[in-house]
Amino acid sequence: MTIRVAIVGSGPSGFYTAEALAKLDAGCEIDMIERLPAPHGLIRYGVAPDHQTTKNVSRNFDKTAARAEVRFYGNVDVGVDVSMADLREMYDAVVLAIGSPEDRTLGIPGEDKQGVIGSAAFVGWYNGHPDFVDLDPNLDSANVCVIGNGNVAIDIARLLVKTLGELAPSDITGDALDVIQASPVTDVYMLGRRGPVEAKFTNVELREMGKLEKCVPQIDGSVIPDSVPEGLEMSDRDRRLREKNLATLREFVGRPADELPKRVHFEFYAAPREILGGDHVEGIRLERTQVVDGRAVGTGEFFEIETSLVLPAVGYRSSGMAEIPFDDDNGIVFSDDGRVDDGLYAVGWIKRGPTGVIGTNRPDGQLAAKQILEDIPEGKKPGRQALEAALGSKGTRIVDYDDWLTLDALEKTQAREGAPREKLITVAAMLGVLDGA
Ligand code: NAP
């Protein structure tokens, strides 16, 4: 009997799971259930809009979606339109591929002030995520502080200082482009609580910061060590990558601050201690640190930066889902390498936390597909027939993959000159197009 699988979430980990299951040719029926009308999750809403090559993977996802055994149920919110318990009754296997959509917090005083915006929200805003279109960030400031030294922090810093010409071939939303271009931002501070050796950004992303049209990187050369210290335990590959970052940072040393109209300041050994101001952010207080046994330890020396906007890019988390065993400390589901419970599996960031690149999700999907076929010799449940009946009785407007391709084509025709697309940024706009409103 056909094994019927529901995958909740249609980002990279969801699509890689669907692809792996379909390629096993085990006669599974695979239904992808997505809260938003648009698929592709982090590819559409998380990857930087000026990194279009990374987004090309969505073409492979389209091929997976076109397979006969795969169906897409967009605009279906699990927990609202159908409960997780019902889904598990309907399907032989349910795979959680819901990612880590929320921001980790800093846990410092003043974090709740207006003008502190986590990277999930800020990146979502410029990428046209329907949850964040009304974010209205206050960019009326010469200085912006980005907290964190990961790739998300560097993505944000770059987007804030790129010119209109540099952003033309991106799919940043027209609204965000206008706001960023009209802003008086001249100085972006990338605040790392540890040093250049510990920074998590990758070298391609770092090098981009030295080649911007109107922005010059700034760094105090005295914080860059001659090499990665011998005592630090890491793989040879990791060591090489960090040496490359140090070499790139060295190239930035000494570039005049007035060489170009804007600056990105790499401020290392700076831990955020307090967000300053009244209701609104007026600045940030930081403590100088040193790294002891890999950890940032305060030195007792403090300094402040004036700003109206603080963007913590300190990693993501999930709050889980009702009825799922959840490890709240780490923001992931409890699982035995992806096996959560009978007939329930997890893949991607909800399984292992928000690390790695898009392709890191592929082995997760392959493993989940293998586990499902090992655990479930034959299917016994009704699958999509029951799902469609339940959604039909609720009046849910299912967005199928052909609907998505209609929206996709429209976005491409509406693109400004040189851009790949102009995104539809609200659910109402997407459904309006499909239903002729
Ligand atoms: P990340 O790589 O884990 O970086 C998080 C940064 O936040 C680290 O520098 C961390 O410092 C810092 N941080 C955490 N808590 C902090 C605190 N309380 N105060 C100050 N700093 C704090 O996370 P991410 O940038 O969100 O990226 C998530 C994943 O997506 C990563 O695997 C990343 O490589 C990937 N990604 C890749 C690309 C790309 O390939 N172009 C683009 C975007 C994202 P410590 O190191 O000291 O903890």
Side-chain angles (χ1 to χ4, degrees):
M1 279 285 285
T2 306
I3 298 170
R4 299 192 164 90
V5 183
I7 300 172
V8 182
S10 69
S13 65
F15 263 103
Y16 282 130
T17 306
E19 178 193 73
L21 274 166
K23 283 191 172 166
L24 287 175
D25 276 333
C28 296
E29 265 180 22
I30 305 149
D31 295 344
M32 305 191 70
I33 303 175
E34 166 61 55
R35 179 170 70 91
L36 295 172
H40 305 162
L42 202 69
I43 299 294
R44 179 173 165 94
Y45 293 121
V47 169
D50 58 339
H51 281 178
Q52 287 296 312
T53 330
T54 312
K55 295 187 187 239
N56 286 343
V57 69
S58 60
R59 294 188 200 142
N60 293 345
F61 297 164
D62 288 347
K63 284 187 200 150
T64 298
R67 292 183 68 123
E69 59 272 67
V70 178
R71 275 200 206 162
F72 176 73
Y73 292 87
N75 197 39
V76 176
D77 194 353
V78 174
V80 175
D81 298 310
V82 58
S83 72
M84 180 53 73
D86 285 348
L87 211 54
R88 292 182 68 187
E89 284 296 314
M90 293 169 183
Y91 286 87
D92 299 299
V94 174
V95 181
L96 299 170
I98 57 174
S100 307
E102 293 148 38
D103 284 299
R104 276 205 211 133
T105 52
L106 292 167
I108 60 171
E111 197 172 358
D112 54 349
K113 292 188 195 304
Q114 281 183 45
V116 180
I117 302 177
S119 53
F122 195 71
V123 171
W125 169 69
Y126 61 57
N127 268 326
H129 190 300
D131 290 355
F132 303 111
V133 287
D134 297 325
L135 191 70
D136 196 18
N138 178 7
L139 282 162
D140 193 13
S141 176
N143 297 338
V144 173
C145 289
V146 183
I147 302 177
N149 269 178
N151 278 327
V152 171
I154 217 164
D155 280 350
I156 292 174
R158 188 181 67 249
L159 263 285
L160 286 173
V161 296
K162 271 195 163 180
T163 62
L164 193 58
E166 285 172 311
L167 288 174
S170 80
D171 66 355
I172 187 171
T173 65
D175 291 351
L177 183 63
D178 291 346
V179 171
I180 291 174
Q181 290 300 315
S183 81
V185 174
T186 52
D187 291 79
V188 176
Y189 289 82
M190 290 261 309
L191 304 169
R193 64 178 169 183
R194 297 192 290 160
V197 170
E198 290 83 16
K200 288 183 171 149
F201 34 66
T202 39
N203 193 250
V204 176
E205 281 65 26
L206 181 59
R207 270 186 286 138
E208 271 187 275
M209 300 309 280
K211 298 179 198 152
L212 298 170
E213 269 177 25
K214 290 275 164 69
C215 178
V216 59
Q218 299 285 288
I219 180 169
D220 168 4
S222 71
V223 303
I224 310 174
D226 292 340
S227 62
V228 177
E230 277 309 319
L232 288 185
E233 264 186 46
M234 65 183 76
S235 67
D236 289 349
R237 182 174 175 274
D238 239 17
R239 188 169 285 274
R240 277 196 306 277
L241 294 176
R242 288 172 196 224
E243 290 288 2
K244 268 189 170 177
N245 274 359
L246 295 184
T248 305
L249 288 170
R250 257 179 238 120
E251 287 168 20
F252 296 167
V253 176
R255 288 188 62 178
D258 59 359
E259 180 187 326
L260 294 168
K262 298 186 182 187
R263 288 152 294 277
V264 165
H265 303 260
F266 287 88
E267 192 69 60
F268 292 102
Y269 302 108
R273 293 296 185 230
E274 187 178 354
I275 309 294
L276 307 169
D279 291 345
H280 295 261
V281 174
E282 290 169 27
I284 180 168
R285 187 160 195 256
L286 298 129
E287 185 176 6
R288 283 281 167 223
T289 63
Q290 53 189 12
V291 175
V292 179
D293 294 334
R295 293 173 60 86
V297 177
T299 60
E301 183 194 336
F302 292 85
F303 67 105
E304 292 175 7
I305 301 173
E306 210 175 290
T307 181
S308 65
L309 189 61
V310 174
L311 304 170
V314 294
Y316 297 131
R317 57 168 283 123
S318 165
S319 295
M321 274 184 140
E323 306 158 273
I324 302 293
F326 196 67
D327 171 0
D328 202 41
D329 289 343
N330 295 305
I332 55 174
V333 287
F334 282 117
S335 82
D336 178 6
D337 202 11
R339 286 184 168 102
V340 179
D341 192 6
D342 277 352
L344 186 62
Y345 302 82
V347 290
W349 283 5
I350 189 66
K351 167 185 169 183
R352 58 185 164 73
T355 58
V357 292
I358 302 299
T360 316
N361 293 293
R362 183 171 234 153
D364 281 352
Q366 290 165 336
L367 179 64
K370 189 168 150 273
Q371 289 170 337
I372 289 168
L373 294 192
E374 273 170 17
D375 298 350
I376 306 171
E378 62 168 13
K380 296 193 173 113
K381 299 198 178 170
R384 60 183 61 144
Q385 179 202 327
L387 177 70
E388 287 180 14
L391 295 175
S393 68
K394 277 207 140 193
T396 307
R397 185 352 172 156
I398 297 168
V399 173
D400 64 22
Y401 217 75
D402 282 342
D403 288 334
W404 157 245
L405 292 175
T406 301
L407 299 174
D408 184 41
L410 180 74
E411 287 187 347
K412 287 173 180 161
T413 62
Q414 289 184 343
R416 56 182 183 273
E417 208 183 325
R421 66 176 68 240
E422 183 64 50
K423 285 179 186 170
L424 294 157
I425 59 174
T426 64
V427 171
M430 292 188 224
L431 299 184
V433 167
L434 295 174
D435 298 332

